Amino acid sequence: MMPSTPLPKNYQLIRDVVDECGLGCHLTPSEIYAKVRERQPGIGLTTIYRGLERLRELGFVSEIEVPGADAAAYEPAGPHHAHFRCSSCGRIEDVAFVIPANTLDALAREHGVEIKDQRVTFEGRCSRCTASG
Amino acid sequence: MMPSTPLPKNYQLIRDVVDECGLGCHLTPSEIYAKVRERQPGIGLTTIYRGLERLRELGFVSEIEVPGADAAAYEPAGPHHAHFRCSSCGRIEDVAFVIPANTLDALAREHGVEIKDQRVTFEGRCSRCTASG
DNA sequence: AATGGAAATGAAATCCATTTTCACTTAGGC
DNA sequence: GCCTAAGTGAAAATGGATTTCATTTCCATT
Ligand SMILES: [Mn+2]
Ligand SMILES: [Mn+2]
Ligand SMILES: [Zn+2]
Ligand SMILES: [Zn+2]
């Protein structure tokens, strides 16, 4: 089939900013706003929120909600993984960890629910804070 | 040693409400507010927030922050566990699952961080919603 | 080109959980 | 009783996210 409707220009800019940040990089809507604004000074924060929602629906970006963080963060879509949040400095890092599907299946059966997603977040001290503090 | 300072009466009421809710029961500050208010009509929401923070520091209650939920939830302190959130109705259930310590150790070593806590949340459809919807 | 409807846009208003401020009351060691 | 620290609640402030609404842009169709 034909390539579906191309992304509106502004949404593409948002996608670019998230993509250029790269894997393992997590940006808040405000941070994205600031970066997009460098290329499109007139854009409004509202459009950032709307664009991020759309891009998430389309599977281009992922939203992560980390307990303790004051705002949601976005990253380019990629392989599923866990996150680590340093409770000292707030830094968020990727952690290569996923609960295997057969474990999820067992849990789902056991609890009589249908599990569609997992969110794993670790909390502690990052190497930088351990070194300095 | 002497029993440390007894809990202020209002904080004790908050603790009672959370405890009476039982394991596997998760209450938001507003819900707790409503319940405490039945016994102490004059109490303010501010005191609920302050009490919950204190009770958490003292280890009597646990706060859980579930992605997708609009407010934090509290439960009586107890064994560590994971949570399941139904994306259809919002219901939060306990899930008997913890990432084993040796796995955490390996991850921590691998990523050069110090892991102090884990937060595991599953998302999907609860049995009730699967049956009805 | 003209047209019309759908989508996108941004400013402003609104929402809402949580925190902060501040003046006041309470509790308890002395 | 006095004094200080802790507790309290109303009200205001905060701040991320959403909603509203009037306007503009986009594009497929004439
Ligand atoms: Mn990530
Ligand atoms: Mn629980
Ligand atoms: Zn750190
Ligand atoms: Zn449900």
Side-chain angles (χ1 to χ4, degrees), chain A residues 80 82 97-105 107 118-120, chain B residues 82 97-99 118 120-122:
Chain A
H80 212 301
F97 175 82
V98 284
I99 300 170
N102 58 322
T103 302
L104 291 183
D105 288 347
L107 286 173
Q118 57 174 278
R119 306 247 191 177
V120 178
Chain B
F97 175 81
V98 284
I99 299 169
Q118 57 174 277
V120 178
T121 306
F122 303 106

Side-chain angles (χ1 to χ4, degrees), chain A residues 75-130:
Chain A
E75 63 185 353
H80 212 301
H81 55 271
H83 290 101
F84 170 87
R85 174 170 187 277
C86 175
S87 38
S88 172
C89 69
R91 156 199 297 287
I92 294 172
E93 298 178 21
D94 277 1
V95 172
F97 175 82
V98 284
I99 300 170
N102 58 322
T103 302
L104 291 183
D105 288 347
L107 286 173
R109 215 172 311 118
E110 201 175 316
H111 292 270
V113 299
E114 192 183 333
I115 295 180
K116 289 180 185 144
D117 199 12
Q118 57 174 278
R119 306 247 191 177
V120 178
T121 307
F122 302 106
E123 205 176 304
R125 287 206 130 217
C126 72
S127 52
R128 184 178 305 187
C129 286
T130 300

Side-chain angles (χ1 to χ4, degrees), chain B residues 24 26 64 75 81-83 94:
Chain B
H26 309 102
I64 68 176
E75 63 185 354
H81 56 270
H83 290 101
D94 278 0

